Amino acid sequence: MSDNPRQLTRDGVTINYSEWGSGPAILLIHGFPDSLHLWRHQVPVLVEAGYRVITADNRGMGQSSAPAGAAAYTLEEISEDLLAVLRECSVDRVAVVGHDWGAAIGWALVEKLGERTTCFVPMSVGAPQCYASCDDYRQKEIGWYTLLFQMEGLAEQLLVADDWKLFRQWTRNHEETAHWIDHLSRDARLVAGLHIYRANLLDILTSGREYMSPAPTLGLWSSGDNLLVEEQMVASGRFVRAGWRYEKVEEASHWMMLDRPEHINRLLLNFIGQHRPAT
């Protein structure tokens, strides 16, 4: 995936994004601790299949600027950044694919897009309200880190101590870990990345807001995910106004698009292809 950087500025925040190919539009949204680099195995395949693929570095990540303060990192703000990217690219209708926090952002974004969403693929993270109401006690157990990440200063200190020992444990020493550490070691990047937890977790847990997908939706969850349980994804089908489909991805960690790219590519091509707009 060759670099194809572009930039726009919204309310003083510069968003780095890239666009490849031509055809029906697909927007790929990353989470923490990633950047648009996450999608390097998907972009070429989707472009070859005749799609126009758009990726962006969420504010605070990748090459986008990092505004100060957690309040700048709400799902509302980040989804507005992505709407600005779509406007800049003159995109009318779009398939939305999001992973981790990118999936949570996706739930907020497709609500805003409404009928302009051709289909939606949340990966790992289901509807935010399903995370908040999850009955599986294991979610609270394995989600310990979300509480740690609220502690600005302390969380950063603990994650980087002893050559990023705790961070390496949190990622289970995924092969991408060295890249993440290199990225997060840049000025303010770790703080900015953690701000998405600080800006949104309490609201998700207490607000009672119910996000709804207006479009056909494919939920993907991987059996090796050590951060999220299956229930919060499966339960999300109740919050889809169009058709809902769920697929469990075996033999993959939380970062399924890196661990099993060919399988994920087939799932995306099949599902997005079923809802490809007529030319």
Side-chain angles (χ1 to χ4, degrees):
M1 187 176 80
S2 60
D3 291 336
N4 185 22
R6 302 181 183 183
Q7 291 186 334
L8 63 80
T9 300
R10 187 185 78 83
D11 294 342
V13 178
T14 299
I15 302 300
N16 183 70
Y17 70 97
S18 292
E19 180 182 7
W20 296 268
S22 60
I26 301 174
L27 175 67
L28 305 177
I29 313 172
H30 71 83
F32 177 82
D34 292 292
S35 66
L36 60 78
H37 183 67
L38 175 71
W39 302 107
R40 61 191 181 273
H41 300 308
Q42 283 67 55
V43 170
V45 173
L46 294 172
V47 168
E48 185 177 359
Y51 291 98
R52 179 186 183 194
V53 182
I54 300 165
T55 61
D57 289 326
N58 295 337
R59 53 173 58 200
M61 306 298 288
Q63 301 302 315
S64 292
S65 60
Y73 295 86
T74 62
L75 300 184
E76 174 71 18
E77 287 292 345
I78 301 174
S79 60
E80 286 293 333
D81 290 341
L82 296 175
L83 283 175
V85 170
L86 293 177
R87 285 194 297 270
E88 187 75 8
C89 295
S90 299
V91 169
D92 182 31
R93 303 192 68 200
V94 63
V96 176
V97 180
H99 173 253
D100 187 77
W101 275 107
I105 296 163
W107 284 94
L109 178 64
V110 298
E111 274 200 340
K112 294 173 183 287
L113 288 168
E115 293 181 355
R116 295 173 58 198
T117 310
T118 61
C119 60
F120 176 39
V121 184
M123 302 172 66
S124 301
V125 173
Q129 63 268 21
C130 293
Y131 180 90
S133 63
C134 185
D135 291 328
D136 189 333
Y137 73 92
R138 293 174 300 164
Q139 186 59 72
K140 296 178 176 61
E141 181 180 346
I142 65 178
W144 60 269
Y145 64 92
T146 62
L147 299 179
L148 171 63
F149 290 176
Q150 302 301 309
M151 303 175 188
E152 186 170 354
L154 177 61
E156 288 85 344
Q157 181 181 352
L158 291 175
L159 285 171
V160 305
D162 195 12
D163 189 27
W164 295 75
K165 180 179 179 179
L166 180 58
F167 181 81
R168 294 178 191 274
Q169 292 173 342
W170 179 71
T171 64
R172 291 190 173 181
N173 284 307
H174 192 280
E175 61 183 15
E176 195 81 350
T177 300
H179 171 77
W180 291 324
I181 291 174
D182 181 64
H183 164 61
L184 294 174
S185 295
R186 297 163 51 207
D187 288 346
R189 292 292 145 166
L190 178 58
V191 178
L194 296 179
H195 274 341
I196 194 168
Y197 292 87
R198 296 162 184 159
N200 297 290
L201 183 65
L202 183 61
D203 182 68
I204 288 171
L205 294 177
T206 63
S207 71
R209 176 176 175 179
E210 293 187 347
Y211 293 85
M212 296 289 297
S213 170
T217 300
L218 168 64
L220 300 180
W221 178 85
S222 46
S223 61
D225 197 320
N226 65 310
L227 306 176
L228 295 145
V229 298
E230 185 175 18
E231 179 192 310
Q232 54 83 36
M233 179 60 78
V234 173
S236 300
R238 303 196 307 270
F239 302 98
V240 177
R241 293 194 177 98
W244 163 255
R245 175 179 157 195
Y246 167 67
E247 292 277 352
K248 180 190 293 188
V249 179
E250 301 288 354
E251 300 178 356
S253 74
H254 180 68
W255 290 276
M256 64 186 88
M257 72 291 293
L258 297 176
D259 297 345
R260 296 196 61 193
E262 293 181 358
H263 181 63
I264 295 302
N265 291 343
R266 284 194 297 270
L267 289 172
L268 292 178
L269 287 171
N270 176 270
F271 185 71
I272 297 174
Q274 290 175 13
H275 304 287
R276 184 171 182 145
T279 55

